[in-house]
Amino acid sequence: MSQMLILAAEAKENPLVPPIPELVIGLIAFVIVFGFLAKKLLPNINKVLDERREAIEGGIEKAEAAQTEAQSVLEQYKAQLAEARHEAARLRQEAQEQGATLIAEMRAEGQRQREEIVAAGHTQIDADRKAASQALRQDVGKLATDLAGKLVGESLEDHARQSRVIDRFLDELEEKAEAAR
């Protein structure tokens, strides 16, 4: 038994095993501190955590709303871009059609002007040829009259007769020239 007493005496002096009154006082103090923290501090902590959760959820909802709005704006932008491309293609097609029409009109106008110039040139050539023929007839007639006057030995100054003789002579020359062709 003495060994038990020694063990009991050693247990009282063991620093790892606290005395019972200290254990009871520590337990009561723990329950008081835990109760105080549960009544005062825990609601504040829960309140802050709830506010954070609501802020995060609200931020997520705002982000989703912003993303939805951004998506709708993007779709509108794509629709406007497609419409602008369609309009540009239509305008380009109209411009090409107008250009082709303008080119055709300019070609027709150029052709018409060319034909007018050629016709005017032919008319001018015909007029010049007639004037040259008339001048040549007069010169040839004068020379023929002078030559005939020298051959016959008398002057052929009568203009009416002179013109008839010259016209007859030139007509005969033209007939011979045409027959030779």
Side-chain angles (χ1 to χ4, degrees):
M1 240 199 161
S2 78
Q3 271 187 341
M4 262 184 133
L5 283 178
I6 294 175
L7 283 175
E10 284 180 10
K12 283 187 179 181
E13 293 182 20
N14 188 356
L16 293 177
V17 179
I20 299 286
E22 281 183 23
L23 193 58
V24 172
I25 291 175
L27 187 61
I28 292 173
F30 177 76
V31 169
I32 291 173
V33 169
F34 184 77
F36 175 76
L37 290 178
K39 289 281 185 184
K40 294 289 182 181
L41 194 58
L42 192 61
N44 288 339
I45 291 174
N46 285 336
K47 181 181 172 185
V48 169
L49 289 176
D50 288 341
E51 288 174 358
R52 275 190 141 173
R53 186 179 63 245
E54 289 175 6
I56 290 172
E57 288 175 356
I60 290 173
E61 289 174 1
K62 287 179 184 177
E64 288 174 353
Q67 186 176 7
T68 304
E69 183 179 348
Q71 186 66 29
S72 69
V73 169
L74 178 63
E75 289 173 4
Q76 289 175 352
Y77 171 74
K78 286 181 179 179
Q80 288 175 349
L81 185 61
E83 184 179 330
R85 285 182 180 156
H86 178 69
E87 182 69 16
R90 185 186 62 77
L91 290 175
R92 196 174 327 125
Q93 181 66 27
E94 285 180 9
Q96 287 175 348
E97 290 172 0
Q98 288 175 352
T101 304
L102 187 60
I103 288 171
E105 289 174 359
M106 288 299 179
R107 282 185 181 158
E109 179 66 20
Q111 183 70 20
R112 186 189 60 76
Q113 288 178 355
R114 182 181 66 86
E115 290 172 0
E116 286 178 2
I117 291 170
V118 168
H122 285 306
T123 305
Q124 183 65 35
I125 288 172
D126 288 341
D128 289 346
R129 187 168 19 110
K130 286 179 183 177
S133 174
Q134 185 66 27
L136 185 60
R137 274 182 179 257
Q138 288 175 357
D139 289 344
V140 168
K142 176 122 172 77
L143 289 174
T145 305
D146 289 343
L147 183 61
K150 287 182 185 179
L151 287 176
V152 174
E154 57 182 76
S155 175
L156 299 173
E157 293 293 326
D158 183 16
H159 284 296
R161 191 174 2 154
Q162 192 178 31
S163 292
R164 284 191 309 264
V165 170
I166 292 170
D167 287 339
R168 191 177 34 191
F169 176 71
L170 290 176
D171 288 338
E172 288 175 9
L173 282 177
E174 286 178 3
E175 289 175 11
K176 287 180 183 178
E178 287 180 12
R181 286 188 198 170

